[in-house]
Amino acid sequence: MRRYTSDTTDAQWEQLAAVLPWPVWLDGGGGRPEEYCRRQIIDAIFYLADNGCKWRNLPCDFPPWRTVYGLFTRWWHNGDVLAVHNDLRDRLRANADRDQDPTAAIIDSQTVRAAETIGHSLPRLGCREEAERT
């Protein structure tokens, strides 16, 4: 199998594997065993995020795009993606001897300026305006 710059290192995989959702079939909860290694699935998702390509353009070195897409959407809808993100952030903050919850946030000037324009829109010409003209 070819290696990509977006592939997880062994150290990264060790951290990720510990927080990924547990496969239900391992507990005897039904379903069939997963056909592809989860590390391959994660590497495929990282490849997509890194390269910004379409699901269907996933290289053939990875599991089929439908498999990767199916697992990602299942994890997304179950809230597992957010849970993994939060767990990894909490571990990182704990390793740095910091509180689990950040106490401050940074907002850049572009965000502030954009927020001021929300709600202002151009008037739409609709039936009412056309009726008033006639």
Side-chain angles (χ1 to χ4, degrees):
M1 186 169 147
R2 216 171 131 187
R3 298 289 300 169
Y4 295 95
T5 57
S6 58
D7 287 352
T8 54
T9 64
D10 290 338
Q12 290 170 330
W13 176 246
E14 185 179 327
Q15 294 294 316
L16 272 170
V19 295
L20 284 176
W22 187 256
V24 176
W25 65 271
L26 285 176
D27 292 331
R32 64 180 183 194
E34 294 174 352
E35 188 174 342
Y36 297 96
C37 172
R38 284 200 166 187
R39 187 171 184 172
Q40 290 177 310
I41 300 292
I42 294 296
D43 285 345
I45 293 170
F46 283 3
Y47 178 88
L48 288 163
D50 186 42
N51 292 294
C53 68
K54 298 176 185 175
W55 289 99
R56 292 175 190 250
N57 291 344
L58 194 63
C60 61
D61 299 328
F62 295 110
W65 73 268
R66 289 180 191 263
T67 302
V68 177
Y69 177 77
L71 271 172
F72 177 79
T73 55
R74 183 180 330 143
W75 291 343
W76 182 264
H77 292 300
N78 289 344
D80 295 327
V81 173
L82 183 61
V84 166
H85 174 266
N86 291 339
D87 288 346
L88 290 173
R89 183 197 61 231
D90 292 348
R91 285 177 179 219
L92 183 64
R93 291 184 68 80
N95 287 342
D97 292 328
R98 299 173 80 186
D99 290 336
Q100 281 190 347
D101 296 319
T103 56
I106 298 173
I107 300 175
D108 65 351
S109 61
Q110 293 293 327
T111 305
V112 173
R113 267 189 253 132
E116 293 171 1
T117 62
I118 294 175
H120 303 336
S121 62
L122 296 174
R124 286 182 31 209
L125 289 178
C127 297
R128 187 175 358 150
E129 288 85 6
E130 288 178 20
E132 290 174 359
R133 280 195 236 151
T134 57

